[in-house]
Amino acid sequence: MDSYRIFLTGVGGQGTLLATTVLAEAAILAGHNVLSSEVHGMAQRGGVVESAVMIGEIMSPIISDGEADLLLGFEPIETYRAMRKCSANSVVISNSVPVTPHTVSIGKSTYPKVENLFSFIAGQVKQLITLDAQALAREAGSVLSANVVMLGAVASSGAIPVPREAFEETIRTKTKAKFVEANLRAFGLGFGAP
Amino acid sequence: MHPLLTPDVEKRLLLLGNEAIVRGALEAGVGFATCYPGTPSSEIGDNFFHIAAESDLYFEYSTNEKVALETAAGAAVSGVRCMCSMKHVGLNVAADPLMTLAYVGVRGGMVVVTADDPSMFSSQNEQDNRIYAKLSGLPLLEPTSAQEAKDMTKAAFEISETLELPVLFRTTTRLSHYRGLVVTGPLVPPRAKGVFERDSARFVTVPANARLRHRVLLEQGEKAREMACKAPFNTITGEGKWGIATSGMAYSYVVDALRDLQMEEKVKVLKLGFSYPFPDDLAEGFIRAVDKVLVVEELEPVLEESLKVTAQTRGLNTPIVGKGPGLFSRLYELTPGIVREVLARYFGIDYSPLRPVDVKEDPQDIQLPMRPPNLCAGCPHRNSYYIIKTVLKDLNVEAIFPTDIGCYTLGLLPPLEMADFLICMGSSVSSAAGIARATDKKIIAYIGDSTFFHSGITGLINAVHNGHEFVLVILDNGTTAMTGHQPHPGIDLAPPDWDKPTVDIEAVVLACGVEQVVTIDPRQLAGSKDKVREVLQSDGLSVIVSKAPCPLYDARITGRKKEMSFRVGFKCEACKHCIENFGCPALCLNDDYTKRANMVIRDDLCIGCGTCNQFCDAISPKKTKIEKSN
């Protein structure tokens, strides 16, 4: 069986770890062997949150440089920062909405133009898909569902062998009951977005 | 019901390595668990904490790792199966009891989990705790997967009881914090009560007894070595004349690399899960069967040296390599890519890896802004630092700041920059004494509440007794925040169903004999500054208890919502005092220049603590939507 390595990156508070769990559980539901990994502790205090999901006969829980089949970026500069994980064979799905770093907020650095980030990435990888996950999440009824919008885009990209139904079933059973409806709408909007 | 308490057998669960360890302990009928939290071990204790509320298992967060180990040892010599978990540097704290517990041994199975942190994701060093097995003479188990972590934990209790020795169980960050599929086995009801049978010739280590017990430890070590040679966790797999010896998470990298390099048919792999005492007979058979051996292990050359000793004593001159130029480094964790690269080079396999995208080739030369970790918006630690910094400036005094381990270590970063020396838990207090003696400068040391209980108190008593002169600031936020809000002896806000007595920090400080003890609420700047000024103007030893709850913890326990929002008004002249001295992440430069105020408060980050409007006239409260709707 083929194997797939998915690298996820975002900023603390964006729900990347929940997205990691849903992705992993959906892949299990689809009948795959799955591993995932995450970093806890000091790394989480307002900084970058990285995680990974492996599908198939892989034993190593981390992704070496160049080896991500799919990069899921929840924030544009974090997508760009994680490009070392990608090769010319990778698919990249990125949210286009910046989360302004504090260093930018206080004038110590500047946020680059998002289109410049994406234009470089598009030329380096097999496919780049970008979407405004916040707008779609708002449309779905909860801006907190932006992480689930991103999963919708993963499902429709066909980059990994996990069908839409497996994601939807996982959203029903693994996300908080009062957010299930909004999450399912968010997933659907993300699925239709690219 | 706690998910790890599922009675279902043969159920596939996606578990963290740490959760798999807990499940394994539950399947072994563990009755007693202790820990001091520390990344990457914390989830072991946190799961036991919740499980103890639903079962007969006894669990405690002990005040430090030495206490946790001794408490567990007391249960283990009373015949109860117990687990004691800690991060790698925690075992340094617990090393004293460990070394002699090895002499007297245990009656109920005892598993000591040490979670190492290669690459130092959340630690001050990356020591290799496998070496503690050799130092103490205790058996060591190292799992390579979540499933094995569960199975091996269960087996560890059996090994411990067979040998009547505590067993060391070593994980690394990657094992502890990855999730893998684990198939459940039957649960065994916890037995938390046992019987202590006196045997003072064994358990009281006066020199005459200790001499006899050291002999017993060595004898048991030989039995353990025989067990290791036959252990199901130690395997030789594959065919071929090339050898790879490995253990822990590195084994996973080896398996993946052999497949990627299509050299599975050419290599024999010695995988050691029960790695100390070193299974020398098994290793000899392995060395004899191959032409050369590459050892793949993280950090120190522990297996490598054991293999070399075995080869030498058995008269073999097979090349055995591992660490060195062109091979593996003793620094940092391994990755699948590094392992594959070294395997390809050492065995002469042609392999060209996928070429990673390199953003340095981007002709746009984009400079990415960094996202350094920061104290949260509304964190009272920031207030404490700000108050002291402001008073020092007023008094025109320069100070040296020994600090300690917790969220507040982030006081190192700009704009606070109030951290000068840190080596380990509790070092702030005693190192302050040394720096004060050696320099005659103003010394202001910082320690958190949980860290104070962990190992600050003895240093404070020493300071009183030896007449050291410095200021100790105890940053009391009422929880062990950094590792996930675990309770400690001094908590005010208790988790649900918590019924344990608390110990008042100020009372402890006074009882230690400190004469000048001042408590401040750092959320009140003016009053706190007055009190701090008085302390900083006096000589001698003083303690400031800066007391305000961690807002994240407070919100979680009390359900308290944001009560107030703040805005920056027209008076703002962009003096940047707030950015350059305070550094709350909610205070930002206004990038919308159509508005007149030059700073803005990000409402999504601001928790409404009301500190900034105490030092800036331009900031004032605005009514929140919640209040309007009332």
Side-chain angles (χ1 to χ4, degrees):
Chain A
M1 198 199 95
D2 284 342
S3 51
Y4 299 85
R5 294 177 171 90
I6 305 136
F7 191 80
L8 300 94
T9 182
V11 180
Q14 287 196 301
T16 56
L17 292 184
L18 179 68
T20 307
T21 305
V22 172
L23 183 54
E25 294 283 356
I28 292 171
L29 207 59
H32 300 298
N33 183 52
V34 169
L35 309 175
S36 69
S37 72
E38 47 203 71
V39 170
H40 298 209
M42 188 176 241
Q44 285 185 314
R45 291 280 179 274
V48 182
V49 179
E50 295 178 339
S51 57
V53 177
M54 257 58 76
I55 298 174
E57 300 308 310
I58 300 174
M59 280 193 74
S60 310
I62 49 177
I63 300 178
S64 296
D65 289 354
E67 303 214 321
D69 296 288
L70 171 63
L71 173 76
L72 192 56
F74 290 74
E75 203 281 342
I77 56 171
E78 297 318 324
T79 304
Y80 189 90
R81 210 192 302 276
M83 283 316 292
R84 70 187 189 285
K85 294 292 176 189
C86 294
S87 72
N89 299 341
S90 307
V91 173
V92 176
I93 301 176
S94 182
N95 186 6
S96 61
V97 184
V99 176
T100 309
H102 186 56
T103 48
V104 172
S105 301
I106 60 171
K108 302 272 186 212
S109 55
T110 51
Y111 198 98
K113 284 202 168 72
V114 172
E115 60 262 34
N116 292 352
L117 299 169
F118 287 164
S119 72
F120 173 73
I121 295 170
Q124 300 288 316
V125 299
K126 189 165 82 182
Q127 190 188 4
L128 168 67
I129 298 166
T130 65
L131 65 163
D132 182 336
Q134 264 78 353
L136 294 171
R138 260 192 303 275
E139 192 182 330
S142 166
V143 75
L144 294 175
S145 297
N147 54 349
V148 184
V149 171
M150 297 297 294
L151 293 178
V154 170
S156 66
S157 75
I160 56 167
V162 180
R164 175 177 192 158
E165 295 71 28
F167 279 102
E168 288 175 336
E169 180 57 22
T170 309
I171 290 167
R172 274 186 213 105
T173 54
K174 300 281 176 184
T175 68
K176 280 187 186 150
K178 66 172 178 175
F179 294 123
V180 165
E181 285 311 311
N183 279 338
L184 286 172
R185 278 196 301 275
F187 180 82
L189 289 170
F191 192 89
Chain B
M1 187 181 64
H2 193 284
L4 292 177
L5 283 174
T6 179
D8 297 349
V9 176
E10 298 289 316
K11 187 170 178 177
R12 292 202 321 160
L13 302 174
L14 186 66
L15 297 185
L16 273 184
N18 282 344
E19 293 169 343
I21 291 168
V22 172
R23 175 72 192 194
L26 294 171
E27 290 181 10
V30 68
F32 202 99
T34 63
C35 85
Y36 184 80
T39 315
S41 73
S42 305
E43 297 79 12
I44 297 172
D46 295 347
N47 277 288
F48 278 131
F49 176 71
H50 294 294
I51 287 165
E54 297 180 34
S55 71
D56 293 334
L57 172 94
Y58 175 79
F59 170 74
E60 70 175 40
Y61 292 110
S62 305
T63 42
N64 68 28
E65 294 86 353
K66 171 175 148 69
V67 173
L69 192 100
E70 290 160 349
T71 305
V77 297
S78 304
V80 172
R81 286 193 166 186
C82 59
M83 175 168 276
C84 178
S85 55
M86 60 196 71
K87 69 182 292 169
H88 60 329
V89 286
L91 198 54
N92 300 335
V93 179
D96 195 3
L98 184 79
M99 294 301 298
T100 307
L101 181 64
Y103 281 24
V104 304
V106 293
R107 283 175 168 149
M110 177 166 174
V111 179
V112 179
V113 181
T114 160
D116 292 10
D117 191 16
S119 283
M120 299 163 276
F121 291 94
S122 211
S123 302
Q124 65 271 39
N125 77 26
E126 58 176 348
Q127 66 185 48
D128 188 332
N129 273 10
R130 293 178 299 169
I131 294 169
Y132 267 116
K134 190 170 182 178
L135 187 64
S136 63
L138 293 175
L140 174 73
L141 298 176
E142 300 176 68
T144 63
S145 68
Q147 178 70 50
E148 200 172 59
K150 194 214 76 173
D151 296 339
M152 211 180 251
T153 303
K154 205 171 152 185
F157 283 96
E158 302 293 337
I159 294 167
S160 172
E161 280 177 14
T162 304
L163 295 167
E164 294 203 358
L165 289 177
V167 168
L168 288 171
F169 194 96
R170 186 236 192 187
T171 76
T172 56
T173 299
R174 292 303 177 180
L175 190 288
S176 283
H177 285 171
Y178 100 103
R179 287 178 193 275
L181 285 169
V182 175
V183 179
T184 59
L187 283 181
V188 172
R191 196 171 57 82
K193 298 288 177 190
V195 176
F196 181 80
E197 287 171 20
R198 294 181 78 179
D199 183 354
S200 51
R202 172 175 173 184
F203 290 123
V204 182
T205 50
V206 293
N209 291 341
R211 283 182 207 114
L212 298 174
R213 293 306 305 179
H214 191 191
R215 181 182 300 277
V216 173
L217 173 62
L218 296 188
E219 287 163 4
Q220 294 305 87
E222 283 315 303
K223 283 184 203 157
R225 191 184 305 278
E226 288 165 26
M227 289 168 75
C229 286
K230 294 175 198 146
F233 304 115
N234 293 344
T235 56
I236 298 171
T237 52
E239 291 302 325
K241 297 304 278 179
W242 293 340
I244 292 177
T246 185
S247 72
M249 197 43 99
Y251 171 73
S252 305
Y253 307 157
V254 167
V255 171
D256 286 349
L258 291 177
R259 191 175 49 236
D260 291 348
L261 298 170
Q262 298 179 326
M263 55 186 289
E264 288 152 301
E265 310 300 315
K266 297 174 182 161
V267 179
K268 273 195 181 64
V269 177
L270 171 67
K271 187 206 81 166
L272 295 182
F274 187 161
S275 59
Y276 192 87
F278 189 71
D280 48 7
D281 290 345
L282 182 76
E284 182 191 342
F286 169 74
I287 299 168
R288 284 189 187 281
V290 294
D291 295 336
K292 56 178 177 177
V293 176
L294 177 66
V295 186
V296 187
E297 60 188 321
E298 288 182 308
L299 301 176
E300 300 303 318
V302 175
L303 292 183
E304 182 184 341
E305 288 174 358
S306 297
L307 281 160
K308 285 174 174 170
V309 169
T310 302
Q312 203 278 337
T313 51
R314 312 284 167 114
L316 304 170
N317 57 6
T318 312
I320 297 169
V321 297
K323 304 289 172 181
L327 299 165
F328 294 107
S329 172
R330 287 168 59 194
L331 294 169
Y332 318 137
E333 68 170 2
L334 295 176
T335 66
I338 293 170
V339 170
R340 192 175 48 217
E341 185 191 323
V342 175
L343 257 61
R345 189 160 53 232
Y346 182 70
F347 292 111
I349 305 288
D350 249 355
Y351 179 73
S352 43
L354 290 167
R355 191 173 163 275
V357 175
D358 186 356
V359 294
K360 287 198 199 83
E361 293 171 7
D362 186 345
Q364 303 173 102
D365 191 24
I366 294 171
Q367 299 299 314
L368 288 188
M370 299 305 288
R371 287 187 203 273
N374 194 355
L375 294 170
C376 306
C379 176
H381 295 329
R382 178 181 290 104
N383 291 30
S384 301
Y385 287 126
Y386 175 77
I387 289 161
I388 291 163
K389 194 170 191 155
T390 312
V391 171
L392 284 171
K393 210 182 232 174
D394 291 349
L395 296 174
N396 198 21
V397 170
E398 279 189 11
I400 298 168
F401 307 107
T403 191
D404 228 300
I405 294 180
C407 293
Y408 53 93
T409 316
L410 292 170
L412 169 72
L413 300 173
L416 302 169
E417 295 176 303
M418 293 171 83
D420 292 319
F421 188 75
L422 166 63
I423 45 175
C424 65
M425 293 282 284
S427 69
S428 58
V429 189
S430 334
S431 67
I435 298 171
R437 271 296 159 189
T439 65
D440 292 330
K441 296 274 188 192
K442 191 85 190 166
I443 311 297
I444 303 175
Y446 299 104
I447 192 168
D449 41 358
S450 189
T451 309
F452 178 70
F453 285 112
H454 179 285
S455 49
I457 297 171
T458 43
L460 189 60
I461 292 171
N462 179 66
V464 170
H465 172 62
N466 284 307
H468 297 304
E469 300 191 8
F470 59 92
V471 179
L472 177 66
V473 183
I474 302 175
L475 300 162
D476 179 7
N477 65 355
T479 184
T480 316
M482 185 59 139
T483 46
H485 295 126
Q486 292 84 2
H488 64 65
I491 57 168
D492 286 329
L493 272 176
D497 303 323
W498 182 264
D499 60 351
K500 302 193 179 190
T502 54
V503 179
D504 183 64
I505 289 182
E506 196 175 318
V508 170
V509 172
L510 285 166
C512 288
V514 179
E515 286 173 10
Q516 189 175 27
V517 185
V518 170
T519 298
I520 62 169
D521 179 345
R523 294 167 299 185
Q524 306 301 327
L525 295 184
S528 298
K529 275 186 200 167
D530 291 342
K531 289 182 181 172
V532 166
R533 187 174 295 114
E534 202 173 305
V535 172
L536 296 191
Q537 281 176 317
S538 56
D539 296 325
L541 176 68
S542 339
V543 170
I544 298 170
V545 182
S546 185
K547 195 174 170 67
C550 167
L552 297 180
Y553 179 68
D554 184 74
R556 209 177 74 195
I557 297 296
T558 64
R560 205 192 313 278
K561 298 261 190 290
K562 182 172 171 177
E563 287 159 359
M564 197 95 93
S565 283
F566 290 85
R567 64 188 171 86
V568 184
F570 298 136
K571 278 198 227 165
C572 174
E573 292 170 346
C575 72
K576 297 192 183 171
H577 174 87
C578 55
I579 294 178
E580 284 162 7
N581 295 277
F582 192 60
C584 172
L587 281 160
C588 303
L589 277 175
N590 188 4
D591 54 8
D592 179 358
Y593 297 106
T594 58
K595 292 181 183 164
R596 278 198 281 171
N598 286 296
M599 298 296 304
V600 287
I601 293 172
R602 275 185 58 180
D603 214 28
D604 59 329
L605 294 178
C606 172
I607 66 154
C609 73
T611 301
C612 54
N613 81 320
Q614 294 175 47
F615 63 69
C616 178
D617 291 341
I619 296 172
S620 57
K622 61 177 178 187
K623 296 221 160 157
T624 64
K625 283 177 191 167
I626 306 160
E627 282 178 335
K628 274 181 191 166
S629 66
N630 282 346

